[in-house]
Amino acid sequence: MGGSIAEINIDEQLFLMLNNLIDGIRLIREQVEYKGSGNAFAKVNGLKSANESINMNLANYLVKVKGGLEAYDLYIEIGRLIEKVSQNLSAISYRLSLIFMRDKDLGDALSLLLTRMIEIVIQQAMALSNAVKMLAISPSKVEEITRNVMKLEEDVDDIYRNSEVKVFEANKDLIVTMLLKDVIDRIEDTADLMREIAADLNLVSYLRS
């Protein structure tokens, strides 16, 4: 179908922002895998700043082309949600850097829990990136992709429900325990935000079908 020039320009910016999310989440996965991964936080924070800049430019562009866009409000909301995810990822990475400064050995159970949650969020982000591509190629396929993002969020919730017990069973010092709990809460919140983005993209696809 292709879409209008304005829609294609918007898709490109959303695609770029989502790819920045994918890169950021992969950096966080490396942080957990390698127990610190050097300057991961600086890189994740840089991606957050990049997405904030892209979203500001996107918002300005949307105002200019607003008259020809049925999905104007949805695009504004998607940009806001992606920016919020970027901020979440920066906060997660920063807290992980503090954790690994104090404790290099989280133990197998906690490391596995974090890695599994992060892997699912990566799958969500990759699916959302694909959904944005499909808006211009085949909007009807977006529903199936976004449904999978929502199912993945439920998988994160299942892991999250058992996470608090594992955090406290690890017998870490109070600061590490609090930081770990916050990291896990923010990963779960990130999965929820991905679900919201999916719902909005699904509505956009209906308007563009």
Side-chain angles (χ1 to χ4, degrees):
M1 286 187 181
S4 68
I5 292 174
E7 288 170 336
I8 291 170
N9 288 336
I10 294 163
D11 292 349
E12 287 176 352
Q13 298 310 301
L14 294 178
F15 185 73
L16 181 57
M17 292 173 73
L18 286 165
N19 281 349
N20 283 343
L21 291 188
I22 293 167
D23 289 344
I25 305 164
R26 283 174 172 162
L27 284 164
I28 289 170
R29 180 179 60 188
E30 289 179 13
Q31 262 186 293
V32 173
E33 185 177 353
Y34 298 111
K35 300 177 174 60
S37 190
N39 61 344
F41 167 65
K43 293 177 181 177
V44 174
N45 200 49
L47 291 166
K48 179 202 75 153
S49 297
N51 270 359
E52 288 171 342
S53 178
I54 294 167
N55 191 41
M56 182 179 297
N57 292 334
L58 176 60
N60 290 335
Y61 179 74
L62 284 166
V63 170
K64 292 177 183 177
V65 299
K66 179 178 180 179
L69 288 176
E70 276 190 282
Y72 170 83
D73 291 333
L74 290 168
Y75 290 128
I76 289 286
E77 179 65 5
I78 292 167
R80 185 190 71 82
L81 291 169
I82 294 175
E83 185 173 318
K84 192 170 180 181
V85 171
S86 298
Q87 292 164 350
N88 246 5
L89 297 181
S90 179
I92 290 167
S93 183
Y94 178 66
R95 282 153 180 76
L96 284 171
S97 67
L98 294 178
I99 288 168
F100 289 122
M101 283 171 58
R102 297 180 66 93
D103 191 338
K104 289 288 187 183
D105 185 16
L106 294 180
D108 291 342
L110 277 178
S111 294
L112 184 62
L113 181 148
L114 286 170
T115 300
R116 182 60 187 137
M117 291 180 79
I118 292 164
E119 289 283 359
I120 295 172
V121 173
I122 290 173
Q123 291 177 51
Q124 285 184 300
M126 291 177 69
L128 291 173
S129 179
N130 189 35
V132 168
K133 282 196 294 187
M134 287 298 107
L135 285 174
I137 300 169
S138 180
S140 62
K141 293 183 179 178
V142 171
E143 182 177 1
E144 181 181 350
I145 297 169
T146 54
R147 193 183 303 122
N148 183 50
V149 174
M150 295 175 187
K151 172 62 173 66
L152 289 168
E153 186 268 339
E154 294 172 4
D155 293 343
V156 170
D157 277 350
D158 288 342
I159 299 171
Y160 178 75
R161 290 188 193 99
N162 299 316
S163 66
E164 193 167 287
V165 172
K166 287 184 170 61
V167 168
F168 287 102
E169 282 179 347
N171 292 319
K172 301 298 179 182
D173 71 49
L174 181 59
I175 292 175
V176 170
T177 297
M178 290 174 63
L179 287 169
L180 277 169
K181 182 66 171 64
D182 191 48
V183 164
I184 291 168
D185 286 347
R186 286 178 182 272
I187 296 173
E188 193 271 341
D189 182 58
T190 296
D192 287 345
L193 292 169
M194 297 288 197
R195 181 188 181 107
E196 291 183 46
I197 295 167
D200 285 343
L201 283 173
N202 195 39
L203 292 174
V204 171
S205 74
Y206 286 136
L207 293 175
R208 288 176 57 170
S209 294

